[in-house]
Amino acid sequence: MKTEDQAWRDLQAHASAQLRAGFADRALRAARGPQDATWRQLNAHAARQLRPGFAERVLRAARAVAEVPSLSSQFALSAATAVLCLAAVIFVQDRSAQLADERNLADWERIVLSARDAQDAPDNDSI
């Protein structure tokens, strides 16, 4: 019977036989990424792909998109926010009032039932 260590060694030998030559070198190169010289070559190649004035055009386009909102749009947003807040307050207040009314009615019903029970019950003192 094989020991556990022998089984692991057999499994490791079988797995390593399945790998192509140079696997470890390729894995280490991929994990480390490109060398500094390769990065410099990539940056130089990318810089050659851009037309002159690219950075200025990008900044101009970004500034055009990031316009300051107008006073009327700010006012409209403020008014919409105020209306939503007011609607929320009214809804919560109305719901709270309904719950309080329901509790009060339930309490009064219990009081009325207790009073009827007390009125209908025979007097124990008269016996």
Side-chain angles (χ1 to χ4, degrees):
M1 176 163 210
K2 288 185 181 179
T3 64
E4 186 177 346
D5 290 336
Q6 181 61 38
W8 277 112
R9 281 193 294 275
D10 290 347
L11 181 62
Q12 185 179 16
H14 177 71
S16 63
Q18 304 300 314
L19 299 175
R20 290 183 290 165
F23 171 78
D25 290 333
R26 289 191 311 275
L28 285 175
R29 249 192 326 257
R32 289 185 188 138
Q35 300 296 324
D36 290 338
T38 307
W39 278 117
R40 283 192 294 276
Q41 289 175 350
L42 287 171
N43 283 334
H45 178 71
R48 287 191 300 269
Q49 303 301 313
L50 298 175
R51 292 181 300 178
F54 173 75
E56 288 179 31
R57 288 192 308 276
V58 169
L59 287 175
R60 231 180 292 126
R63 287 182 185 133
V65 170
E67 293 180 11
V68 176
S70 66
L71 184 61
S72 61
S73 66
Q74 289 180 2
F75 179 73
L77 179 62
S78 299
T81 303
V83 166
L84 286 175
C85 290
L86 182 62
V89 167
I90 290 172
F91 174 77
V92 169
Q93 174 62 27
D94 184 54
R95 183 72 180 137
S96 297
Q98 284 179 355
L99 291 174
D101 288 345
E102 289 173 7
R103 275 193 309 270
N104 291 338
L105 285 174
D107 289 343
W108 276 110
E109 285 177 4
R110 271 188 259 126
I111 291 171
V112 168
L113 288 175
S114 296
R116 283 185 187 157
D117 288 344
Q119 188 178 19
D120 293 341
D123 288 333
N124 291 336
D125 295 338
S126 63
I127 300 180

